[in-house]
Amino acid sequence: YMGRVEDVLGRGWDQHVEGQKLKQEGEAFSKKLRTQPIFEQWHKEHKDVKSFDPEMRIFNIHQSYGSWTLLVNYDEQIITLFKEVRNLQALG
């Protein structure tokens, strides 16, 4: 990418004040494009998430003392993980 900038601006472009600023911005942009550190951080945060059992009931109705109680099996980490996987699948 920076080679193309040199092709357009000529050799030594990064020696000028504007060229140095452009080079810094280009390097910062290039750093943002690296996905491996982002993935490693995501993996580190989610590798200990409890495994999900698809046979597990989401809702359970419990009767006690003449009343009914709805129990919900809810785990924020699993919900977040499902959403992130769905977004990654949408990206291809």
Side-chain angles (χ1 to χ4, degrees):
Y1 152 69
M2 296 307 273
R4 290 184 180 180
V5 172
E6 183 173 349
D7 291 342
V8 173
L9 298 179
R11 190 169 262 210
W13 65 273
D14 57 345
Q15 302 302 316
H16 300 283
V17 175
E18 293 87 5
Q20 290 174 353
K21 183 178 178 184
L22 179 62
K23 184 176 180 181
Q24 286 178 334
E25 290 176 3
E27 289 171 352
F29 180 70
S30 178
K31 192 175 186 178
K32 288 182 180 182
L33 293 178
R34 290 189 218 133
T35 57
Q36 190 63 33
I38 296 168
F39 173 76
E40 288 173 1
Q41 179 65 30
W42 178 85
H43 184 261
K44 181 180 172 185
E45 291 172 0
H46 291 89
K47 70 179 180 180
D48 296 328
V49 173
K50 295 178 249 173
S51 61
F52 179 73
D53 179 10
E55 301 295 320
M56 178 178 59
R57 292 183 178 204
I58 297 173
F59 298 111
N60 193 8
I61 299 173
H62 181 70
Q63 181 182 15
S64 67
Y65 305 111
S67 66
W68 297 87
T69 305
L70 177 64
L71 303 173
V72 180
N73 190 5
Y74 179 82
D75 185 346
E76 181 68 31
Q77 286 183 317
I78 289 178
I79 301 300
T80 301
L81 181 60
F82 281 154
K83 288 179 181 179
E84 290 174 351
V85 168
R86 182 181 61 210
N87 289 337
L88 288 173
Q89 288 175 333
L91 291 173

